[in-house]
């Protein structure tokens, strides 16, 4: 991520957060408990929203500019939180380390979505929860082709490899997860090309 973008990230996101993203994050995180890993935690927007039932929180963030902001956010929290540098494609944790893994607006940006999902599956306990909120390819063809696909090359450069046309729910299912809850909705106050989104919960195989 370019340093100026990392430094402006919270300001850029504020409209979306106020329009409902913070509340969506809160709802997805509220049922979590035990050992939780968040991948690509960014500037730590979700950090204050984890419930007390989460006993061990680990935040992985490979980008040094985002991680500097994350360290500030974690420093303001009363609980003890571990920050890790691993990219999602190579998580530095043993098998079965976490009861839940969280991704918010991350699977759009990773270099290899399949590899990240395999790693999430590996570090989750059998039956563990994978909680996600991600923007995805539009289901309507004109928006996907003339909006998202046309803008994608420029957007990837500006926004840290963020792809606009990924079928992330298909990738989650293809990685062997069972999606038990999923809602498709528009991210309010986002630019039109990142509004199509999914949020939900998937489970690793038992
Ligand atoms: C749009 S930001 C989202 C940040 C945060 N999760 C949020 O909800 O605000 C995308 C994040 O994914 C991170 N990221 C990019 N590639 C990654 C990878 N291969 N593994 C883990 N995180 C990655 C970026 O550094 C950035 O912090």
């Amino acid at each position: 991520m370019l340093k100026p973008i990392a430094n402006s990230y919270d300001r850029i996101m504020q409209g979306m957060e106020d329009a409902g993203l913070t509340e969506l994050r809160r709802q997805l995180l509220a049922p979590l408990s035990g050992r939780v890993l968040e991948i690509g935690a960014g500037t730590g927007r979700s950090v204050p929203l984890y419930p007390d039932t989460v006993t061990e929180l680990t935040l992985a963030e490979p980008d040094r500019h985002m991680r500097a902001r994350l360290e500030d956010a974690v420093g303001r929290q009363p609980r003890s939180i571990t920050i890790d540098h691993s990219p999602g494609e190579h998580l530095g944790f043993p098998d079965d380390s976490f009861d839940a893994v969280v991704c918010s607006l991350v699977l759009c940006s990773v270099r290899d979505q399949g590899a990240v999902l395999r790693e999430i599956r590996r570090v989750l306990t059998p039956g563990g929860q994978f909680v996600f909120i991600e923007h995805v390819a539009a289901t309507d063809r004109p928006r996907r082709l003339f909006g998202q696909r046309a803008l994608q090359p420029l957007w990837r450069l500006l926004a840290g490899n963020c792809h606009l046309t990924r079928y992330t729910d298909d990738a989650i299912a293809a990685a062997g997860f069972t999606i038990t809850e999923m809602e498709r909705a528009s991210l309010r106050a986002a630019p039109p090309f990142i509004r199509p989104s999914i949020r939900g919960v998937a489970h690793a195989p038992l």
Side-chain angles (χ1 to χ4, degrees):
M1 183 80 75
L2 297 170
K3 188 174 179 185
I5 304 283
N7 288 344
S8 317
Y9 183 78
D10 285 341
R11 235 182 354 249
I12 295 167
M13 294 297 286
Q14 197 57 51
M16 288 168 64
E17 299 287 348
D18 293 342
L21 181 56
T22 298
E23 187 49 34
L24 288 178
R25 294 177 190 272
R26 192 190 310 281
Q27 287 170 13
L28 278 171
L29 302 178
L32 299 185
S33 60
R35 298 161 300 163
V36 175
L37 168 67
E38 181 175 340
I39 293 178
T43 58
R45 295 303 301 225
S46 295
V47 172
L49 307 174
Y50 281 93
D52 291 341
T53 44
V54 172
T55 50
E56 283 177 37
L57 181 57
T58 304
L59 307 173
E61 175 49 63
D63 182 272
R64 67 193 166 104
H65 302 305
M66 294 299 258
R67 204 167 52 246
R69 317 278 304 184
L70 183 62
E71 281 159 4
D72 290 345
V74 163
R76 293 191 292 273
Q77 292 300 308
R79 68 162 90 203
S80 157
I81 297 171
T82 304
I83 297 182
D84 178 87
H85 298 196
S86 309
E89 290 86 351
H90 301 284
L91 294 172
F93 309 101
D95 297 359
D96 304 349
S97 295
F98 298 100
D99 302 299
V101 172
V102 175
C103 279
S104 66
L105 310 176
V106 169
L107 292 173
C108 52
S109 300
V110 298
R111 192 175 37 76
D112 183 343
Q113 222 181 35
V116 173
L117 288 162
R118 278 193 297 281
E119 278 292 85
I120 293 173
R121 214 182 122 167
R122 181 183 68 75
V123 301
L124 274 174
T125 52
Q129 280 181 294
F130 171 43
V131 171
F132 54 89
I133 173 164
E134 294 289 342
H135 69 86
V136 293
T139 49
D140 59 300
R141 202 172 141 81
R143 186 191 309 206
R144 192 170 64 247
L145 293 184
F146 304 115
Q148 294 180 318
R149 197 168 290 175
L151 273 172
Q152 184 155 273
L154 176 64
W155 186 251
R156 278 180 62 190
L157 283 179
L158 292 175
N161 199 41
C162 177
H163 291 68
L164 300 171
T165 56
R166 285 187 166 169
Y167 294 91
T168 300
D169 46 331
D170 289 349
I172 294 170
F177 288 93
T178 303
I179 298 177
T180 49
E181 288 169 40
M182 194 179 90
E183 194 181 347
R184 207 173 275 283
S186 178
L187 278 179
R188 281 191 241 146
F193 48 90
I194 60 172
R195 272 184 212 156
S197 72
I198 53 169
R199 49 188 175 259
V201 181
H203 287 266
L206 284 169

